mmCIF file with all atom_site columns, all heavy atoms in Angstrom:
data_model
loop_
_atom_site.group_PDB
_atom_site.id
_atom_site.type_symbol
_atom_site.label_atom_id
_atom_site.label_alt_id
_atom_site.label_comp_id
_atom_site.label_asym_id
_atom_site.label_entity_id
_atom_site.label_seq_id
_atom_site.pdbx_PDB_ins_code
_atom_site.Cartn_x
_atom_site.Cartn_y
_atom_site.Cartn_z
_atom_site.occupancy
_atom_site.B_iso_or_equiv
_atom_site.pdbx_formal_charge
_atom_site.auth_seq_id
_atom_site.auth_comp_id
_atom_site.auth_asym_id
_atom_site.auth_atom_id
_atom_site.pdbx_PDB_model_num
ATOM 1   N N   . ARG A 1 15 ? -6.286 0.618   -11.999 1.00 79.00 ? 15 ARG A N   1
ATOM 2   C CA  . ARG A 1 15 ? -6.128 2.067   -11.852 1.00 79.00 ? 15 ARG A CA  1
ATOM 3   C C   . ARG A 1 15 ? -6.561 2.507   -10.458 1.00 79.00 ? 15 ARG A C   1
ATOM 4   O O   . ARG A 1 15 ? -7.439 1.901   -9.868  1.00 79.00 ? 15 ARG A O   1
ATOM 5   C CB  . ARG A 1 15 ? -6.981 2.811   -12.884 1.00 79.00 ? 15 ARG A CB  1
ATOM 6   C CG  . ARG A 1 15 ? -6.661 2.521   -14.327 1.00 79.00 ? 15 ARG A CG  1
ATOM 7   C CD  . ARG A 1 15 ? -5.521 3.269   -14.948 1.00 79.00 ? 15 ARG A CD  1
ATOM 8   N NE  . ARG A 1 15 ? -5.465 4.685   -14.624 1.00 79.00 ? 15 ARG A NE  1
ATOM 9   C CZ  . ARG A 1 15 ? -4.323 5.378   -14.638 1.00 79.00 ? 15 ARG A CZ  1
ATOM 10  N NH1 . ARG A 1 15 ? -3.203 4.801   -14.955 1.00 79.00 ? 15 ARG A NH1 1
ATOM 11  N NH2 . ARG A 1 15 ? -4.317 6.657   -14.349 1.00 79.00 ? 15 ARG A NH2 1
ATOM 12  N N   . TRP A 1 16 ? -5.946 3.553   -9.975  1.00 73.00 ? 16 TRP A N   1
ATOM 13  C CA  . TRP A 1 16 ? -6.426 4.280   -8.808  1.00 73.00 ? 16 TRP A CA  1
ATOM 14  C C   . TRP A 1 16 ? -6.354 5.752   -9.168  1.00 73.00 ? 16 TRP A C   1
ATOM 15  O O   . TRP A 1 16 ? -5.866 6.109   -10.238 1.00 73.00 ? 16 TRP A O   1
ATOM 16  C CB  . TRP A 1 16 ? -5.633 3.928   -7.540  1.00 73.00 ? 16 TRP A CB  1
ATOM 17  C CG  . TRP A 1 16 ? -4.187 4.321   -7.532  1.00 73.00 ? 16 TRP A CG  1
ATOM 18  C CD1 . TRP A 1 16 ? -3.175 3.720   -8.217  1.00 73.00 ? 16 TRP A CD1 1
ATOM 19  C CD2 . TRP A 1 16 ? -3.584 5.398   -6.804  1.00 73.00 ? 16 TRP A CD2 1
ATOM 20  N NE1 . TRP A 1 16 ? -1.985 4.343   -7.969  1.00 73.00 ? 16 TRP A NE1 1
ATOM 21  C CE2 . TRP A 1 16 ? -2.204 5.389   -7.091  1.00 73.00 ? 16 TRP A CE2 1
ATOM 22  C CE3 . TRP A 1 16 ? -4.073 6.356   -5.940  1.00 73.00 ? 16 TRP A CE3 1
ATOM 23  C CZ2 . TRP A 1 16 ? -1.314 6.298   -6.559  1.00 73.00 ? 16 TRP A CZ2 1
ATOM 24  C CZ3 . TRP A 1 16 ? -3.173 7.268   -5.397  1.00 73.00 ? 16 TRP A CZ3 1
ATOM 25  C CH2 . TRP A 1 16 ? -1.811 7.235   -5.698  1.00 73.00 ? 16 TRP A CH2 1
ATOM 26  N N   . SER A 1 17 ? -6.859 6.612   -8.310  1.00 70.00 ? 17 SER A N   1
ATOM 27  C CA  . SER A 1 17 ? -6.984 8.028   -8.664  1.00 70.00 ? 17 SER A CA  1
ATOM 28  C C   . SER A 1 17 ? -5.654 8.680   -9.012  1.00 70.00 ? 17 SER A C   1
ATOM 29  O O   . SER A 1 17 ? -5.621 9.655   -9.744  1.00 70.00 ? 17 SER A O   1
ATOM 30  C CB  . SER A 1 17 ? -7.663 8.804   -7.541  1.00 70.00 ? 17 SER A CB  1
ATOM 31  O OG  . SER A 1 17 ? -6.859 8.776   -6.366  1.00 70.00 ? 17 SER A OG  1
ATOM 32  N N   . GLY A 1 18 ? -4.543 8.130   -8.537  1.00 73.00 ? 18 GLY A N   1
ATOM 33  C CA  . GLY A 1 18 ? -3.245 8.741   -8.789  1.00 73.00 ? 18 GLY A CA  1
ATOM 34  C C   . GLY A 1 18 ? -2.383 8.032   -9.815  1.00 73.00 ? 18 GLY A C   1
ATOM 35  O O   . GLY A 1 18 ? -1.311 8.501   -10.155 1.00 73.00 ? 18 GLY A O   1
ATOM 36  N N   . GLY A 1 19 ? -2.805 6.872   -10.319 1.00 80.00 ? 19 GLY A N   1
ATOM 37  C CA  . GLY A 1 19 ? -1.977 6.139   -11.276 1.00 80.00 ? 19 GLY A CA  1
ATOM 38  C C   . GLY A 1 19 ? -2.394 4.691   -11.385 1.00 80.00 ? 19 GLY A C   1
ATOM 39  O O   . GLY A 1 19 ? -3.568 4.375   -11.515 1.00 80.00 ? 19 GLY A O   1
ATOM 40  N N   . THR A 1 20 ? -1.414 3.778   -11.296 1.00 86.00 ? 20 THR A N   1
ATOM 41  C CA  . THR A 1 20 ? -1.705 2.348   -11.384 1.00 86.00 ? 20 THR A CA  1
ATOM 42  C C   . THR A 1 20 ? -1.305 1.649   -10.093 1.00 86.00 ? 20 THR A C   1
ATOM 43  O O   . THR A 1 20 ? -0.412 2.100   -9.376  1.00 86.00 ? 20 THR A O   1
ATOM 44  C CB  . THR A 1 20 ? -0.958 1.680   -12.561 1.00 86.00 ? 20 THR A CB  1
ATOM 45  O OG1 . THR A 1 20 ? 0.443  1.840   -12.371 1.00 86.00 ? 20 THR A OG1 1
ATOM 46  C CG2 . THR A 1 20 ? -1.388 2.260   -13.888 1.00 86.00 ? 20 THR A CG2 1
ATOM 47  N N   . THR A 1 21 ? -1.972 0.552   -9.812  1.00 89.00 ? 21 THR A N   1
ATOM 48  C CA  . THR A 1 21 ? -1.639 -0.274  -8.659  1.00 89.00 ? 21 THR A CA  1
ATOM 49  C C   . THR A 1 21 ? -1.584 -1.726  -9.112  1.00 89.00 ? 21 THR A C   1
ATOM 50  O O   . THR A 1 21 ? -2.382 -2.151  -9.946  1.00 89.00 ? 21 THR A O   1
ATOM 51  C CB  . THR A 1 21 ? -2.648 -0.095  -7.509  1.00 89.00 ? 21 THR A CB  1
ATOM 52  O OG1 . THR A 1 21 ? -2.217 -0.883  -6.391  1.00 89.00 ? 21 THR A OG1 1
ATOM 53  C CG2 . THR A 1 21 ? -4.041 -0.496  -7.901  1.00 89.00 ? 21 THR A CG2 1
ATOM 54  N N   . THR A 1 22 ? -0.639 -2.457  -8.584  1.00 92.00 ? 22 THR A N   1
ATOM 55  C CA  . THR A 1 22 ? -0.485 -3.867  -8.911  1.00 92.00 ? 22 THR A CA  1
ATOM 56  C C   . THR A 1 22 ? -0.621 -4.678  -7.633  1.00 92.00 ? 22 THR A C   1
ATOM 57  O O   . THR A 1 22 ? 0.205  -4.554  -6.724  1.00 92.00 ? 22 THR A O   1
ATOM 58  C CB  . THR A 1 22 ? 0.875  -4.136  -9.574  1.00 92.00 ? 22 THR A CB  1
ATOM 59  O OG1 . THR A 1 22 ? 0.972  -3.362  -10.764 1.00 92.00 ? 22 THR A OG1 1
ATOM 60  C CG2 . THR A 1 22 ? 1.042  -5.604  -9.918  1.00 92.00 ? 22 THR A CG2 1
ATOM 61  N N   . GLU A 1 23 ? -1.669 -5.486  -7.574  1.00 94.00 ? 23 GLU A N   1
ATOM 62  C CA  . GLU A 1 23 ? -1.869 -6.369  -6.437  1.00 94.00 ? 23 GLU A CA  1
ATOM 63  C C   . GLU A 1 23 ? -0.961 -7.577  -6.614  1.00 94.00 ? 23 GLU A C   1
ATOM 64  O O   . GLU A 1 23 ? -1.077 -8.317  -7.584  1.00 94.00 ? 23 GLU A O   1
ATOM 65  C CB  . GLU A 1 23 ? -3.333 -6.797  -6.372  1.00 94.00 ? 23 GLU A CB  1
ATOM 66  C CG  . GLU A 1 23 ? -3.639 -7.697  -5.198  1.00 94.00 ? 23 GLU A CG  1
ATOM 67  C CD  . GLU A 1 23 ? -5.110 -8.056  -5.155  1.00 94.00 ? 23 GLU A CD  1
ATOM 68  O OE1 . GLU A 1 23 ? -5.897 -7.225  -4.663  1.00 94.00 ? 23 GLU A OE1 1
ATOM 69  O OE2 . GLU A 1 23 ? -5.449 -9.158  -5.638  1.00 94.00 ? 23 GLU A OE2 1
ATOM 70  N N   . MET A 1 24 ? -0.040 -7.756  -5.666  1.00 94.00 ? 24 MET A N   1
ATOM 71  C CA  . MET A 1 24 ? 0.911  -8.860  -5.734  1.00 94.00 ? 24 MET A CA  1
ATOM 72  C C   . MET A 1 24 ? 0.439  -10.079 -4.970  1.00 94.00 ? 24 MET A C   1
ATOM 73  O O   . MET A 1 24 ? 0.743  -11.203 -5.346  1.00 94.00 ? 24 MET A O   1
ATOM 74  C CB  . MET A 1 24 ? 2.259  -8.390  -5.209  1.00 94.00 ? 24 MET A CB  1
ATOM 75  C CG  . MET A 1 24 ? 2.831  -7.258  -6.018  1.00 94.00 ? 24 MET A CG  1
ATOM 76  S SD  . MET A 1 24 ? 4.236  -6.553  -5.176  1.00 94.00 ? 24 MET A SD  1
ATOM 77  C CE  . MET A 1 24 ? 4.598  -5.212  -6.283  1.00 94.00 ? 24 MET A CE  1
ATOM 78  N N   . ALA A 1 25 ? -0.295 -9.832  -3.887  1.00 94.00 ? 25 ALA A N   1
ATOM 79  C CA  . ALA A 1 25 ? -0.829 -10.936 -3.093  1.00 94.00 ? 25 ALA A CA  1
ATOM 80  C C   . ALA A 1 25 ? -1.960 -10.406 -2.226  1.00 94.00 ? 25 ALA A C   1
ATOM 81  O O   . ALA A 1 25 ? -1.942 -9.256  -1.792  1.00 94.00 ? 25 ALA A O   1
ATOM 82  C CB  . ALA A 1 25 ? 0.258  -11.542 -2.211  1.00 94.00 ? 25 ALA A CB  1
ATOM 83  N N   . ILE A 1 26 ? -2.938 -11.269 -1.973  1.00 95.00 ? 26 ILE A N   1
ATOM 84  C CA  . ILE A 1 26 ? -4.057 -10.954 -1.097  1.00 95.00 ? 26 ILE A CA  1
ATOM 85  C C   . ILE A 1 26 ? -4.421 -12.218 -0.352  1.00 95.00 ? 26 ILE A C   1
ATOM 86  O O   . ILE A 1 26 ? -4.288 -13.327 -0.887  1.00 95.00 ? 26 ILE A O   1
ATOM 87  C CB  . ILE A 1 26 ? -5.252 -10.372 -1.897  1.00 95.00 ? 26 ILE A CB  1
ATOM 88  C CG1 . ILE A 1 26 ? -6.284 -9.740  -0.962  1.00 95.00 ? 26 ILE A CG1 1
ATOM 89  C CG2 . ILE A 1 26 ? -5.856 -11.423 -2.805  1.00 95.00 ? 26 ILE A CG2 1
ATOM 90  C CD1 . ILE A 1 26 ? -7.314 -8.870  -1.678  1.00 95.00 ? 26 ILE A CD1 1
ATOM 91  N N   . PHE A 1 27 ? -4.849 -12.063 0.906   1.00 94.00 ? 27 PHE A N   1
ATOM 92  C CA  . PHE A 1 27 ? -5.213 -13.223 1.716   1.00 94.00 ? 27 PHE A CA  1
ATOM 93  C C   . PHE A 1 27 ? -6.504 -12.947 2.450   1.00 94.00 ? 27 PHE A C   1
ATOM 94  O O   . PHE A 1 27 ? -6.648 -11.881 3.041   1.00 94.00 ? 27 PHE A O   1
ATOM 95  C CB  . PHE A 1 27 ? -4.107 -13.557 2.715   1.00 94.00 ? 27 PHE A CB  1
ATOM 96  C CG  . PHE A 1 27 ? -4.409 -14.792 3.514   1.00 94.00 ? 27 PHE A CG  1
ATOM 97  C CD1 . PHE A 1 27 ? -4.139 -16.040 2.978   1.00 94.00 ? 27 PHE A CD1 1
ATOM 98  C CD2 . PHE A 1 27 ? -4.979 -14.695 4.763   1.00 94.00 ? 27 PHE A CD2 1
ATOM 99  C CE1 . PHE A 1 27 ? -4.440 -17.185 3.701   1.00 94.00 ? 27 PHE A CE1 1
ATOM 100 C CE2 . PHE A 1 27 ? -5.285 -15.831 5.493   1.00 94.00 ? 27 PHE A CE2 1
ATOM 101 C CZ  . PHE A 1 27 ? -5.011 -17.078 4.969   1.00 94.00 ? 27 PHE A CZ  1
ATOM 102 N N   . PRO A 1 28 ? -7.420 -13.913 2.453   1.00 95.00 ? 28 PRO A N   1
ATOM 103 C CA  . PRO A 1 28 ? -7.420 -15.160 1.702   1.00 95.00 ? 28 PRO A CA  1
ATOM 104 C C   . PRO A 1 28 ? -7.426 -14.902 0.189   1.00 95.00 ? 28 PRO A C   1
ATOM 105 O O   . PRO A 1 28 ? -7.856 -13.849 -0.269  1.00 95.00 ? 28 PRO A O   1
ATOM 106 C CB  . PRO A 1 28 ? -8.711 -15.858 2.129   1.00 95.00 ? 28 PRO A CB  1
ATOM 107 C CG  . PRO A 1 28 ? -9.255 -15.092 3.294   1.00 95.00 ? 28 PRO A CG  1
ATOM 108 C CD  . PRO A 1 28 ? -8.623 -13.763 3.279   1.00 95.00 ? 28 PRO A CD  1
#
Side-chain angles (χ1 to χ4, degrees):
R15 300 277 317 154
W16 65 286
S17 64
T20 60
T21 183
T22 301
E23 181 178 279
M24 299 169 184
I26 193 167
F27 183 82

